[in-house]
Amino acid sequence: MKLPAFFIAHGSPVLALEDNEYTRFLERLGQDLGTPRGIVVFSAHWDSPEQLITVDAQHETQHDFYGFPEEMYSLTYPAPGDPALSSRISELFNQSNLPHQPVLGRGLDHGVWVILKKMFPQADIPVVALSVDSLRSPEEQYTIGRMLAPLREEGILLLGSGGLVHNLRMLKQDDQPESWAQEFDAWIAKGLESWDLPSLFAYEKKAPHVRDAVPSYGREHFVPLFYIMGTADAGRQAQLMIQAYQYGTLSLNCWMVD
């Protein structure tokens, strides 16, 4: 069965410890999806000018953050890798002449394991992590995602992990969203629901409040959206599954594309 693909906001790492509307949604989503043959994640926390692919048979857990509760540093997500799946991804990239490199021993960053710990807590499904390149054009990012579309018909769940509104310098003490964050999310939602690629690809010029929603230092959190959209180029359908906010300026949403 062809699996849908998803853009999932990972918010703050403490999401791994929280029990709220959004984390319960992720738990239900994982249950609804059953047991994919493998999971491939484009992570905002692996930003590289070269396309990189994990090739480990077993992953370590990265604690790539600081200043959080001590409990965070004891959390693990010991998911296996899948070298055969990594090779399949390499094959698809080769077919489109995309330069790429295997990476051994990197481990899973929190952009990957925080959401997977909620969705698939047993950590028994093979995971392959992929880098993003925040300096590529949206068209290029979309095209790279499209290269991996065949995996959706091979039992592989494709995810993009990031955050559409992700401004760490404007965090609030409460979760009440800023109006500008809501307006930006609404503009993105309109573009996604109509699959308006010309507008979305030009989001840096057209989207309201884009400098606050996608600050120059945080573009890598937004771009997994384009990679994951590319995997659904054949169908071009998008559905908002949930919309919430964390600390006012971190958008917690999940978009399903098919």
Side-chain angles (χ1 to χ4, degrees):
M1 183 179 66
K2 182 179 181 180
L3 289 173
F6 297 87
F7 173 88
I8 300 178
H10 61 249
S12 164
V14 295
L15 204 69
L17 298 176
E18 294 178 338
D19 176 19
N20 54 41
E21 178 190 14
Y22 189 67
T23 62
R24 290 190 291 272
F25 162 78
L26 292 178
E27 291 166 359
R28 291 193 304 271
L29 179 61
Q31 293 166 5
D32 291 344
L33 288 169
T35 307
R37 186 170 68 81
I39 304 170
V40 174
V41 187
F42 285 100
S43 175
H45 287 278
W46 198 7
D47 193 2
S48 169
E50 188 172 32
Q51 183 61 60
L52 304 175
I53 311 169
T54 61
V55 295
D56 302 82
Q58 181 65 47
H59 293 294
E60 299 292 330
T61 304
Q62 280 195 46
H63 297 94
D64 51 334
F65 42 76
Y66 60 91
F68 287 91
E70 190 62 32
E71 186 180 356
M72 286 295 303
Y73 301 93
S74 65
L75 295 179
T76 61
Y77 192 78
D82 187 341
L85 177 54
S86 298
S87 294
R88 173 65 174 138
I89 293 169
S90 179
E91 174 189 351
L92 292 170
F93 285 157
N94 282 333
Q95 289 175 7
S96 296
N97 298 313
L98 177 70
H100 58 282
Q101 291 293 330
V103 175
L104 185 65
R106 180 179 186 271
L108 299 179
D109 62 60
H110 78 268
V112 178
W113 68 260
V114 164
I115 59 173
L116 293 185
K117 195 168 183 64
K118 292 297 184 181
M119 295 174 67
F120 305 104
Q122 297 304 313
D124 56 356
I125 301 173
V127 178
V128 174
L130 299 178
S131 65
V132 298
D133 181 0
S134 62
L135 298 183
R136 287 184 189 266
S137 69
E139 293 91 339
E140 290 176 300
Q141 294 156 354
Y142 186 96
T143 298
I144 292 172
R146 189 168 58 200
M147 296 173 192
L148 301 187
L151 295 177
R152 295 179 50 207
E153 299 191 44
E154 300 172 14
I156 305 303
L157 178 64
L158 298 176
L159 305 177
S161 174
L164 299 187
V165 177
H166 194 88
N167 194 323
L168 299 180
R169 297 177 185 174
M170 299 178 72
L171 298 181
K172 297 167 50 180
Q173 294 299 313
D174 61 72
D175 293 336
Q176 182 63 34
E178 296 283 7
S179 59
W180 58 261
Q182 293 177 303
E183 290 173 24
F184 178 83
D185 269 326
W187 187 91
I188 296 295
K190 182 179 179 181
L192 277 166
E193 289 166 351
S194 60
W195 212 267
D196 183 356
L197 294 182
S199 292
L200 288 172
F201 286 168
Y203 78 97
E204 289 189 288
K205 294 181 179 179
K206 293 188 174 184
H209 313 292
V210 67
R211 295 293 173 262
D212 289 331
V214 188
S216 58
Y217 64 85
R219 290 176 61 193
E220 73 283 350
H221 275 77
F222 186 81
V223 302
L225 175 67
F226 292 127
Y227 285 89
I228 216 64
M229 285 181 71
T231 71
D233 182 67
R236 299 192 172 197
Q237 299 290 320
Q239 179 183 349
L240 180 61
M241 308 294 286
I242 189 171
Q243 177 69 68
Y245 291 87
Q246 195 176 33
Y247 308 121
T249 65
L250 297 183
S251 182
L252 296 181
N253 44 28
C254 173
W255 281 92
M256 179 175 70
V257 294
D258 199 0

